[in-house]
C-alpha cells in the first residue's frame, strides 16, 4: 500500500539522463539563458572557488581512527544506534513493556493497546494500521501464542517495512548529489557529514553553495568545507542558484573530483518559488552534465514527526527524490517516524543524523534501527 510515490513513479518514469523529472512545460523564464546580465560572461569560471587545499590530496585517516567504535563496523553501528536512539527506545520498547506487563496471552484487546502505543510513538495512523493488520492476521493463524512471539512478529513486520533497495551504485565521476529540504532540517550540516564520509573513503568531494538566499548560509558551508578539506564553489548572496550550480559542475569537471554535493535553500514561506528554484537547479545540472543529479536526497527532521511525511510528498513531486536522510534522531522520542516515512513514501531511508558532529551521520541499517528502538 504505497500510494502516491509508487503511483507517481509508474505514471512518470524518471527520464533518462538529460531531462529533469517533472514533465512540465518549461516557462519562458526557464528557457532564458542563465547569464547574470548583458555583457557579462554567462558563467565566469568559478570566481569564488576556494583553492584546493593541498592537504586534501593526502591519504585520509583510516576509518577506525575516526570512528573508534567501528573497528568492527556493524557492531559499532548497532551500538551507536542504540546509544543515540535511547529516547525513541524509551517510547517504544518502554511502552511495549508497560502494555505487555503481566500479560501472557495475545488477544484483540492487547493488539488494540499496541495500536495506540504505536500511534503515540509517531508511527502515524496509516503505518500503525498496516502493522497491526499484519499482526491480526498472524493472530488468526494462531502464530502469536504469547507476548514474546508478538514482539518477535512486530520486529519482523517492521523490518519488512524498512527493507529498501540497496543504495545506487556509483557509476560515474563526478557523482552529483542534490540535497533538498525545508529550512533548518540539517541540509548544510549533513553535506559536511557526507563529505567527511567521502574523505574517509579516500574520495574527493566538492561542495556547491546553491543556497544563495542568505550570506550566512554560504559562510556556514565554507566553514564546513574548510573542516572537511573540500572546495566550496559559491557566488554572491542573491545570485541565481542555478548559475552557481553550473559553475560548480564546471569546477568539478575541471578538478576531476569524485563527488559533488549541492546545498540548496529551503525557506518555506515561498513554497512555489522554492520548488521552481529546485526544478531549475535540476535542469541546469542535467544540461551541464547529462545524468546529473545522480541522486536527490531529501533531508527530513525527525523531531517534526508526521509533518516530515507531507514534506516528502511536496519535494518528491517537484524534483523526484531518490532517498531520504532523517536528521536529529538523537534526543527525540519521535524516531518511530522513520517507519511512517518509509511506509508512506516507499522511498529508501539512506542515512540517519545522530548528532551535530561530523561523525554523527550513519548509513541507515534496518536491523540496527529496529534493534535500537525495540530494545
Ligand atoms: N542533534 C542534531 N542536530 C542536528 C542534526 N543535523 C543537523 N542538526 C542541527 O540542526 C541545525 C540546522 O542545521 P542546518 O544544517 O543549518 O540546516 P539547513 O537549514 O537545512 O541547512 C544546526 O544547529 C545543526 O547542528 C542531527 O542529526 N542531530
Ligand atoms: Mg543550510
Amino acid at each position: 500500500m504505497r500510494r502516491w510515490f509508487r503511483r507517481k513513479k509508474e505514471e512518470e518514469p524518471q527520464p533518462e539522463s538529460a531531462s529533469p523529472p517533472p514533465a512540465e512545460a518549461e516557462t519562458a523564464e526557464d528557457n532564458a539563458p542563465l547569464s547574470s546580465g548583458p555583457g557579462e560572461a554567462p558563467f565566469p569560471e568559478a570566481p569564488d572557488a576556494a583553492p584546493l587545499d593541498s592537504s586534501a590530496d593526502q591519504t585520509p585517516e583510516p576509518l577506525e581512527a575516526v570512528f573508534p567504535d567501528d573497528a568492527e563496523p556493524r557492531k559499532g553501528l548497532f551500538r551507536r544506534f542504540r546509544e543515540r536512539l535511547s529516547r525513541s527506545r524509551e517510547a517504544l520498547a518502554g511502552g511495549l513493556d508497560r502494555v505487555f506487563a503481566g500479560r501472557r496471552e495475545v488477544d484483540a484487546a492487547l493488539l488494540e493497546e499496541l495500536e495506540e502505543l504505536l500511534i503515540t510513538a509517531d508511527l502515524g495512523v496509516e503505518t500503525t494500521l498496516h502493522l497491526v493488520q499484519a499482526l491480526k492476521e498472524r493472530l488468526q493463524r494462531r502464530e502469536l501464542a504469547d507476548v514474546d512471539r508478538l514482539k518477535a512478529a512486530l520486529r519482523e513486520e517492521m523490518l519488512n517495512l524498512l527493507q529498501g533497495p540497496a543504495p545506487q551504485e556509483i557509476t560515474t565521476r563526478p557523482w552529483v548529489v542534490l540535497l533538498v529540504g525545508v529550512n533548518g532540517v540539517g541540509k548544510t550540516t549533513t553535506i559536511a557529514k557526507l563529505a567527511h564520509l567521502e574523505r574517509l573513503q579516500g574520495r574527493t568531494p566538492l561542495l556547491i553553495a546553491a543556497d544563495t538566499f542568505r550570506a550566512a548560509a554560504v559562510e556556514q558551508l565554507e566553514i564546513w568545507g574548510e573542516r572537511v578539506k573540500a572546495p566550496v564553489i559559491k557566488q554572491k548572496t542573491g545570485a541565481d542558484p542555478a548559475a552557481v550550480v553550473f559553475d560548480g559542475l564546471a569546477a568539478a569537471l575541471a578538478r576531476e573530483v569524485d563527488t559533488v554535493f549541492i546545498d540548496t535553500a529551503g525557506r518555506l514561506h515561498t513554497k512555489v518559488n522554492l520548488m521552481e528554484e529546485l526544478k531549475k537547479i535540476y535542469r541546469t545540472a542535467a544540461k551541464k552534465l547529462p545524468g546529473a543529479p545522480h541522486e536527490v536526497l531529501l533531508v527530513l527532521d525527525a523531531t517534526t514527526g508526521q509533518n516530515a511525511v507531507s514534506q516528502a510528498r511536496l519535494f518528491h513531486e517537484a524534483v523526484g527524490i531518490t532517498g531520504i536522510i532523517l536528521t536529529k534522531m538523537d534526543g527525540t522520542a519521535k524516531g518511530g517516524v522513520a517507519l511512517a516515512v518509509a511506509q508512506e513514501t516507499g522511498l529508501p531511508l539512506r542515512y540517519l543524523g545522530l548528532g551535530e558532529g561530523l561523525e554523527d551521520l550513519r548509513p541507515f541499517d534496518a536491523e540496527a534501527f529496529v534493534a535500537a528502538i525495540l530494545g
Side-chain angles (χ1 to χ4, degrees), residues 181-190 193 214 220 263 327-330 353-356 360:
V182 306
N183 243 357
V185 289
K187 291 180 296 299
T188 307
T189 315
T190 299
K193 294 169 176 174
R214 294 172 304 132
Q220 187 192 358
D263 193 18
T327 60
K328 311 187 196 181
M329 291 290 280
D330 53 304
L354 300 171
E356 294 188 88
D360 294 327

Side-chain angles (χ1 to χ4, degrees), residues 13 27 33 36-37 43 56 94 100 146 148 168 179 193 198 201 215 225 242 244 262 282-283 314 318:
T27 62
S36 39
F43 299 108
F100 293 168
D146 53 40
D148 288 339
Q168 262 166 284
L179 274 91
K193 294 169 176 174
E198 288 290 295
Q201 289 164 37
V244 186
I262 305 176
Y282 195 113
R283 282 194 294 270
L314 200 70

